[in-house]
Each structure stands twice: as structure tokens, then as C-alpha cells.
Amino acid sequence: MKVVILAGGFGTRLSEETSIRPKPMVEIGGRPILWHIMKNYAHFGFKDFVILGGYKVDYIRNYFLNYRGKQTDYTIDMKTGRVEWLQGVSEDWTVTVLDTGAESLTGGRIKRAAPLIGNESFCLTYGDGVSDVDIQALVEAHRASDCWCTLTAVTQPGRYGALRLDEASSHVKAFREKGAVDGGLINGGFFVCEPEVMDLIDDDRTTWENEPMERMIEMGKLGYFHHQGYWQSMDSLRDKMVLEASWADTPPWKLWAD
């Protein structure tokens, strides 16, 4: 199952960092937050990634193109360019980086990945939030439902979009982007989707959290997985500082072994 990660926005609320790099490449503990997200997916066995770039996508491309060279010792024949990789640490991942356009909205970015995803279920998440959510349990809960999409519902202050849930059916009944209510459950990303969701996305100007999710609610096809553990989005410089402090101590989202 592919893991699709939204990584193309401008990240204007974190302009101190995003003036030179896309927000998913802002570092926590010397590593991009995107890397932290991918490490957790890989921990659960999900290692086929599709990164949906846009703003400063070359920064993401160059990171993965040069990843092995930064992690592994090597000998290079300067005359022929031949490289012999020596001992070191790398990842057993497959990474596709797509340029989905600097101006595309979240739904449009996802739609552009449709040819790569094909007729298969896929994971989807934002490139700026970390969590200790059990991805395998999330996928299993989605497969046991009749939903086209299952989102991860988490607790966080009301500057995020508020959810109204039907606990009996595990379906989402309403979604309000950037709700004013303080507390409650909100959309934490970490989705599992069926390929049918692509039909609900009109074009590059479609926001995933608006028309597609609203249509699924009307159809009874948007479910949720209640995660009661750790979740943190990096939406501001303050959020980055919180994550940095956690990484220096005992990062609650770090599930993988060194």
C-alpha cells in the first residue's frame, strides 16, 4: 500500500523557515519532519512513498537524490564517476517525488497522484504532523468498514477543523475547517483511502478538506479512527520549538528503533 504525503504548500505561518524550504523539510532534531513521518510509516511496514511536492519541490527532490550519499560511506573514482558504497545506514524505501504545481490545492495534488496509485487503497497524510498512531490498526479499522476514507480523529485545541462524530457507526457526521470550538476531536490526517475518492476531486482548485470530504459525509462514506495518543502539527515557530524540545528529551512520536 502506497503512502501519499502532502508536501507542496507554502507554509506561510512558518515563514521564518519556509522562505528557504518547503514546510515538510523544516528540521526537527536535524532531520526534516517529513523524514520523521516516513520513519513511523516504515516502522509499520509501509515503505512505498509518494511525496506530493509543489512549492520549492526541488528541495525535496535533492534531499532524496542525495540521501544515500549523506548517510553512507563511499569511495568514488573521480575519473569515471563510479561510486562504491561502503558501510553505512540507509533506508529500504521506495520514494516518488511528484511536482503537483505550486498553486494546486490539497485535493488537486492528490488527484495528480491517481495514475501512480491506480485501483488500490492508499494511505494519505499531511507532511507537517507527527503522531504515535498505530498505522496497522488504522488500516485494519478502515478495511473493516464500508467507508471510502477513514481519517484519524485526535484531540487538539480548536484552531483546527472540528469534527462531529457518530460513535455508533464510526462515521463522520460533519466537518468544519478551522473551527472556533476549543477542544474536542479534530482531523489529524493519517487517512486511509479507497481509489473512489479520486472521483470526488474536480481539479487543481479543489481542497481535499472541503468538497470531497463533505460529499463523503453526505454519502456516509467518511469514517474515523479515534487515536487517543500523541499528535502534534507543526503549524508555527512555536510548534517547531515544542517538537524540538520533545526530540531532545523523549519524543513520543518516535516508534522506530535506532
Side-chain angles (χ1 to χ4, degrees):
M1 183 182 290
K2 286 181 169 57
V3 179
V4 179
I5 305 179
L6 289 158
F10 291 100
T12 52
R13 286 189 291 264
L14 192 57
S15 59
E16 300 90 343
E17 294 275 356
T18 57
S19 60
I20 60 172
R21 73 194 82 190
K23 186 161 70 163
M25 299 305 293
V26 174
E27 294 183 353
I28 303 298
R31 299 276 196 163
I33 191 170
L34 177 62
W35 177 87
H36 292 259
I37 296 166
M38 295 168 75
K39 287 290 283 187
N40 266 358
Y41 271 101
H43 170 75
F44 289 102
F46 298 89
K47 302 179 181 182
D48 189 354
F49 299 98
V50 179
I51 311 300
L52 305 183
Y55 172 68
K56 295 188 180 294
V57 65
D58 283 348
Y59 201 106
I60 301 174
R61 285 172 168 163
N62 290 334
Y63 177 78
F64 288 107
L65 282 172
N66 297 314
Y67 188 89
R68 187 174 183 181
K70 290 182 177 180
Q71 310 300 319
T72 308
D73 295 336
Y74 60 84
T75 300
I76 183 170
D77 185 323
M78 297 296 289
K79 182 177 180 180
T80 65
R82 180 177 175 273
V83 176
E84 179 185 357
W85 297 104
L86 306 176
Q87 235 177 356
V89 178
S90 193
E91 313 291 350
D92 56 343
W93 304 346
T94 299
V95 181
T96 302
V97 181
L98 289 184
D99 182 358
T100 60
E103 302 295 333
S104 297
L105 302 181
T106 48
R109 297 190 192 284
I110 296 165
K111 183 92 168 183
R112 290 203 186 196
L116 278 173
I117 294 167
N119 194 33
E120 297 181 359
S121 306
F122 63 98
C123 292
L124 168 71
T125 197
Y126 304 109
D128 63 355
V130 290
S131 176
D132 62 352
V133 60
D134 185 331
I135 302 297
Q136 194 63 57
L138 164 63
V139 170
E140 290 171 3
H142 173 76
R143 286 175 172 164
S145 75
D146 63 346
C147 294
W148 286 3
C149 175
T150 300
L151 60 77
T152 297
V154 298
T155 302
Q156 186 71 10
R159 60 194 174 102
Y160 298 94
L163 298 173
R164 184 162 61 85
L165 307 176
D166 182 342
E167 295 185 7
S169 67
S170 291
H171 284 186
V172 178
K173 305 300 290 183
F175 177 82
R176 186 174 65 255
E177 181 70 359
K178 306 300 181 188
V181 179
D182 192 23
L185 294 177
I186 57 100
N187 167 28
F190 296 96
F191 306 90
V192 184
C193 302
E194 296 303 313
E196 286 84 354
V197 302
M198 296 296 181
D199 296 331
L200 304 177
I201 302 171
D202 296 328
D203 53 36
D204 282 352
R205 305 310 299 165
T206 301
T207 300
W208 167 246
E209 298 79 9
N210 291 346
E211 294 90 344
M213 290 178 66
E214 290 166 0
R215 290 170 184 170
M216 282 188 281
I217 290 171
E218 293 171 0
M219 299 164 64
K221 291 296 185 180
L222 181 61
Y224 73 94
F225 178 81
H226 187 186
H227 174 58
Q228 301 184 55
Y230 180 86
W231 178 90
Q232 178 65 52
S233 178
M234 187 179 65
D235 203 44
S236 67
L237 187 59
R238 178 188 176 278
D239 294 336
K240 172 179 161 55
M241 293 169 65
V242 167
L243 290 167
E244 285 280 15
S246 294
W247 183 258
D249 185 14
T250 307
W253 70 87
K254 183 180 180 294
L255 303 179
W256 65 91
D258 292 323

